Amino acid sequence: VDVVKTNSDGVYRIRSEKKYGYVFISVPRGYETVMTGVIPDIWKPVTKGSSASERADFQLIRTDNDIFTLYVMGDMHLARKQNDINQFRDFMVSLQGDIDSGSGKQYGLTLGDMTWDCYWYANSFGFTEYKEEINRDLSRICIWHTMGNHDNDYRQVGDFLKENPYRDAICPTYYSFNLGRFHFIVLDDIDYKDCPASIDNASGKISEDHRSEYVTDFTSDQMNWLKKDLATVDKSTPVIISSHAPAYRPNGATGSKAGLTAHSDGSGDYGTAAFRSLLTGYNVPFFSRHTH
């Protein structure tokens, strides 16, 4: 919600209502954080009331990462289904071999749908099991994550509650970080708004399915934060943005309209044109998946 800079000693203070229950750091150029498995420790929970002071510290490790390789991975849909785990393990061994033979710093970036929501409960395969798999062979590199539509909890109501398991297990749904001279921004453009919960029947099958009832847009909270984040970035710095669904696409591609949903309902949420207006003057490549 708010963006502040530290002083020269790394001290920061934020006056916050703690709506999201955490604080995160935008890792600066030339640094890394400690990791839990492959996931960087960029966020800490804040659990006391808005009037109570809390302290959240982040450990930075000075690193020369001006030259780096980025491995980008999308729509893995791990679910313990149709031999997918063995296929994934074979791929991870191959990828690790490429990492071992490379030079410079190496990182990963997922583009969403690491899991497959309908098998969280049916196959007992959710974020805990996903992290066990991704940590098996890639434990030596940092992997940043983007959230996808299938990474939402279909048993919950509305966008915020559906996202909570992802926040608890992986990372914030939107944040930024720096690698070398690049500023990365990870966004979530899958918006379930007031979507009801899907219902499982007695056999474990989804009998009332609302999982496809999302809108592709950027919420007003995200965009208000993005304005503040970009205000700290010089326009000479290349900015790379990831989101699960493409912010731009040919009209009619995969049966979808061109780009993100435009709104006239006063929600403050952003479609493609409104989002693009925030990026004026920046050089912005995009990473996305979703359309397979």
Side-chain angles (χ1 to χ4, degrees):
V1 174
D2 289 311
V3 174
V4 300
K5 289 186 175 183
T6 71
N7 66 15
S8 58
D9 294 320
V11 176
Y12 70 96
R13 291 181 176 85
I14 303 176
R15 184 178 296 277
S16 173
E17 295 181 1
K18 305 178 186 176
K19 172 182 177 181
Y20 283 82
Y22 57 81
V23 59
F24 64 82
I25 186 173
S26 182
V27 180
R29 179 180 181 176
Y31 287 89
E32 294 176 345
T33 66
V34 296
M35 297 189 297
T36 302
V38 301
I39 298 177
D41 291 338
I42 62 166
W43 66 278
K44 305 283 185 183
V46 286
T47 57
K48 299 178 181 178
S50 60
S51 61
S53 296
E54 298 184 67
R55 177 168 174 165
D57 293 334
F58 298 89
Q59 182 180 345
L60 292 174
I61 303 166
R62 192 180 295 276
T63 305
D64 182 3
N65 57 7
D66 273 9
I67 297 176
F68 65 90
T69 300
L70 184 69
Y71 297 92
V72 184
M73 301 166 275
D75 290 273
M76 292 177 277
H77 289 284
L78 295 185
R80 198 179 287 129
K81 182 179 185 289
Q82 295 179 337
N83 202 38
D84 64 335
I85 301 302
N86 288 333
Q87 293 173 2
F88 182 73
R89 289 177 181 176
D90 287 344
F91 168 66
M92 287 292 103
V93 171
S94 176
L95 178 56
Q96 186 63 59
D98 193 77
I99 292 169
D100 289 342
S101 64
S103 60
K105 297 296 296 185
Q106 291 151 322
Y107 302 91
L109 173 66
T110 74
L111 298 180
D113 285 1
M114 289 71 67
T115 63
W116 199 342
D117 50 354
C118 60
Y119 296 105
W120 284 14
Y121 304 104
N123 287 2
S124 298
F125 196 99
F127 292 127
T128 297
E129 293 72 24
Y130 161 73
K131 289 192 293 185
E132 290 174 355
E133 288 300 324
I134 200 74
N135 285 332
R136 279 174 56 94
D137 298 302
L138 292 186
S139 58
R140 294 194 295 278
I141 72 169
C142 170
I143 299 182
W144 306 89
H145 282 75
T146 308
M147 187 179 192
N149 54 297
H150 290 291
D151 299 318
N152 285 268
D153 186 353
Y154 67 78
R155 288 183 174 179
Q156 298 299 319
V157 175
D159 195 56
F160 191 85
L161 294 180
K162 289 179 186 292
E163 294 170 345
N164 274 340
Y166 180 89
R167 291 190 188 97
D168 291 341
I170 305 294
C171 66
T173 59
Y174 59 90
Y175 59 97
S176 66
F177 61 96
N178 296 275
L179 290 181
R181 64 187 185 90
F182 295 89
H183 184 69
F184 285 78
I185 298 172
V186 176
L187 297 174
D188 170 27
D189 59 2
I190 304 297
D191 186 359
Y192 276 95
K193 292 189 177 290
D194 299 317
C195 180
S198 297
I199 306 298
D200 301 280
N201 61 25
S203 64
K205 301 287 186 181
I206 299 176
S207 57
E208 188 176 320
D209 194 351
H210 300 284
R211 292 176 305 132
S212 63
E213 297 176 17
Y214 57 81
V215 177
T216 54
D217 68 12
F218 290 119
T219 61
S220 57
D221 273 2
Q222 269 188 103
M223 294 298 96
N224 288 334
W225 167 83
L226 179 61
K227 294 173 189 176
K228 298 172 184 177
D229 182 80
L230 285 173
T232 70
V233 181
D234 189 272
K235 291 192 175 180
S236 65
T237 300
V239 175
I240 296 178
I241 293 179
S242 74
S243 62
H244 182 57
Y248 304 88
R249 68 182 77 181
N251 194 27
T254 64
S256 301
K257 295 180 180 179
L260 305 171
T261 304
H263 293 276
S264 57
D265 58 3
S267 65
D269 297 333
Y270 279 52
T272 292
F275 169 58
R276 181 178 177 179
S277 69
L278 297 186
L279 306 176
T280 302
Y282 290 94
N283 176 17
V284 187
F286 288 83
F287 287 132
S288 62
R289 286 289 293 162
H290 187 51
T291 56
H292 293 229

